[in-house]
Amino acid sequence: MRSSPLAPRSPLLLLGACAIAAAARAGAQPTIADRYRDAAQRLIQAATADSAAWQRIAELTERFGPRFSGTPNLERAIDWVMAKMKEDGLQNVRGEPVMVPRWVRGAESAELLEPRRQALPMLGLGGSIATPAGGITADVLVVTSWFDLMGEAARGKIVLFNVPFTNYGATVAYRTGGAIEAAKAGAVASLIRSVGPYSMRTPHTGGMRYDSTVRKIPHAAITSEDADMLARMQARGERIRVRLTMSAETLPDVQSRNVIGEIVGRERPNEVVVMGGHIDSWDVGRGAMDDAGGVVVAWEAVRLMHKLGMRPRRTIRVVGWTNEENGLRGANAYRDTHRAEIDRHVAAIESDAGVFKPTGFGFTGSDAGFALVSQIGTLLQRIGAGSIYRGGGGADIGPIMQLGVPGLGLTVDGTRYFWYHHTEADTVDKLDPRDVALCVATMAVMAYVLADMEETLGRNPSP
């Protein structure tokens, strides 16, 4: 009987086929995951062995408090970080000078006068002008969009933009541009519903801007609970009258610094993977998740590499950028200071979304670079941080990404980020030590492999 094509082969033929397959496997190039599995395991174990990173965030934020641009708090914090980096064995520790803006909040308040008296928790928005010394007392017009400002209804009033949070990009437009549009409509001041999805009568501050062709008016945020209350009062036909008092002022620029430390590459020290977050915060809260955590997890990642004797081919540079919150002066100064070496920046990584449970990275760069980063991501799957997405980066690495540097942004479970963003509630107790440790592990593995592997990500083709 003739054998079927699916019938068993002879033992000799099977042995030969196995030998060929084994030889093919032996000659195959190992993947990035194969080459760096042991290194990744060492970094993950070291990062998750204790709560050292969380403890360092706590010390930084509680020792120095808010670290607003132009304040002694920020400069003392930078001095402390540099001293600790040197103690940790980081190399080339330094502060690179940056001129930053100086906005001072001063005394401020908002009070509901009619239909009854009540203090309204508020925060002036960064860059706002002051009210006259006695404050501004006026009726309030509650609106839900720019379109509600058409006509004369806003003239002589305080406009309140009561716009519920949908996503940050859409809702923050009322914070940044609200004073301009309200002034165009004849308002004497403007208020916004704080930008966030959840509140316990916690107002959120943040940056705003003016247009040189439009009259400047004071601009502040109140809580979502009070914004909704005023909206209901208006719907019932009640007169709403508020006194807003602000003494904010903008002073001349002062000098700050980007804080930098490195682990110098063993073979290609002039090629750089740069990573970090911003060392400054707003002048409320303690800036634990925004963004002391981002600085510390990058710093801790490099400290662990040094401790473990894991020196990559290329240099890894940790940066705490200054003045992210109200100017991006640190990001632009870094680009200008290092412009001559930008072509030797092989990647830039930023953590500025809170150090909650990490899920992976967003990546902006070439298709080939995305494929390589995706391979590195497989090393992080065991801790749930291996997802690599298209599109990522950060505000502080944005200027060098525009010059072609591929960029990565750490992605985390952001469910609670905007609950505390730019509020008095941004304190270290909102962060889980285990989540912070996992962020250290995630940053460490990605940065180490990018700095050590023979391959590079290429340039960012669409800066």
Side-chain angles (χ1 to χ4, degrees):
M1 178 177 172
R2 181 176 293 180
S3 297
S4 161
L6 299 179
R9 307 283 181 161
S10 74
L12 288 176
L13 288 173
L14 288 173
L15 285 172
C18 290
I20 292 169
R25 285 195 298 272
Q29 290 294 319
T31 65
I32 289 174
D34 293 333
R35 282 181 275 157
Y36 289 100
R37 187 166 285 109
D38 289 345
Q41 179 68 11
R42 291 180 68 196
L43 289 167
I44 291 169
Q45 286 180 339
T48 56
D50 55 34
S51 62
W54 188 94
Q55 296 291 345
R56 182 156 268 178
I57 297 168
E59 184 173 3
L60 170 59
T61 58
E62 293 171 352
R63 181 183 288 264
F64 301 103
R67 303 170 307 282
F68 196 41
S69 290
T71 64
N73 281 16
L74 175 59
E75 299 312 308
R76 286 194 290 264
I78 290 171
D79 289 340
W80 180 85
V81 170
M82 290 195 294
K84 292 294 184 181
M85 282 183 167
K86 290 174 182 177
E87 289 179 16
D88 289 343
L90 271 63
Q91 299 165 282
N92 299 328
V93 175
R94 60 197 186 272
E96 295 183 344
V98 183
M99 295 301 292
V100 300
R102 180 76 174 106
W103 180 77
V104 180
R105 177 178 303 281
E108 58 184 17
S109 65
E111 184 182 10
L112 177 66
L113 303 177
E114 294 184 42
R116 62 180 177 81
R117 298 185 76 97
Q118 177 186 314
L120 302 174
M122 58 82 72
L123 285 172
L125 296 170
S128 176
I129 64 168
T131 63
I136 293 173
T137 300
D139 289 353
V140 173
L141 172 68
V142 183
V143 301
T144 58
S145 76
W146 310 121
F147 301 106
D148 293 342
L149 294 175
M150 299 175 68
E152 296 294 313
R155 188 162 301 280
K157 295 182 179 176
I158 297 173
V159 166
L160 165 61
F161 294 98
N162 184 33
V163 183
F165 185 89
T166 51
N167 62 71
Y168 188 66
T171 314
V172 79
Y174 290 89
R175 189 188 79 200
T176 56
I180 298 171
E181 298 306 318
K184 287 179 181 178
V188 294
S190 54
L191 301 172
I192 62 162
R193 175 197 182 106
S194 285
V195 180
Y198 175 79
S199 174
M200 295 184 71
R201 293 196 84 201
T202 43
H204 299 231
T205 191
M208 51 84 64
R209 61 185 175 84
Y210 288 115
D211 183 329
S212 61
T213 67
V214 178
R215 178 175 53 90
K216 294 180 180 180
I217 59 174
H219 194 38
I222 64 172
T223 70
S224 57
E225 297 95 326
D226 289 337
D228 282 341
M229 177 185 71
L230 298 184
R232 289 190 293 271
M233 288 176 172
Q234 179 171 283
R236 291 193 292 264
E238 296 172 326
R239 184 186 189 189
I240 308 166
R241 195 158 180 83
V242 164
R243 179 186 297 119
L244 177 67
T245 305
M246 298 171 62
S247 58
E249 58 181 330
T250 299
L251 301 176
D253 290 357
V254 297
Q255 184 173 292
S256 185
R257 293 158 289 173
N258 288 331
V259 58
I260 292 176
E262 298 175 344
I263 183 168
V264 176
R266 68 180 190 274
E267 290 180 7
R268 305 175 192 171
N270 292 329
E271 295 183 12
V272 177
V273 172
V274 63
M275 68 172 179
H278 61 88
I279 188 65
D280 67 306
S281 73
W282 274 101
D283 59 333
V284 296
R286 300 182 197 130
M289 59 164 216
D290 185 22
D291 185 33
V295 175
V296 168
V297 296
W299 170 11
E300 182 72 1
V302 172
R303 185 189 72 82
L304 291 177
M305 292 176 208
H306 175 73
K307 179 181 177 181
L308 296 170
M310 298 174 66
R311 188 176 175 188
R313 283 187 174 87
R314 302 176 184 87
T315 294
I316 300 178
R317 177 179 295 157
V318 176
V319 181
W321 284 276
T322 197
N323 186 232
E324 187 272 348
E325 292 293 8
N326 65 326
L328 285 177
R329 300 279 187 89
N332 290 321
Y334 182 89
R335 174 201 59 204
D336 295 342
T337 300
H338 297 274
R339 188 180 288 270
E341 62 179 85
I342 289 298
D343 288 346
R344 297 192 296 276
H345 278 59
V346 299
I349 310 172
E350 185 162 351
S351 171
D352 187 19
V355 282
F356 300 102
K357 188 178 187 307
T359 58
F361 291 91
F363 173 75
T364 299
S366 68
D367 291 342
F370 181 80
L372 290 170
V373 171
S374 296
Q375 288 186 54
I376 301 170
T378 65
L379 295 167
L380 294 164
Q381 288 175 351
R382 62 178 289 262
I383 59 171
S387 296
I388 308 299
Y389 311 90
R390 291 279 189 183
D396 287 303
I397 62 176
I400 62 172
M401 288 175 63
Q402 292 171 0
L403 298 179
V405 179
L408 298 92
L410 179 68
T411 58
V412 301
D413 176 2
T415 304
R416 293 177 291 122
Y417 180 75
F418 287 109
W419 291 13
Y420 315 120
H421 182 247
H422 295 181
T423 74
E424 293 283 6
D426 184 0
T427 50
V428 74
D429 55 284
K430 308 306 187 302
L431 303 175
D432 182 271
R434 173 69 177 177
D435 289 346
V436 174
L438 290 172
C439 286
V440 174
T442 304
M443 294 283 279
V445 170
M446 182 58 69
Y448 180 80
V449 177
L450 287 173
D452 193 71
M453 67 184 189
E454 285 287 349
E455 305 92 330
T456 62
L457 302 180
R459 306 309 288 169
N460 178 7
S462 55

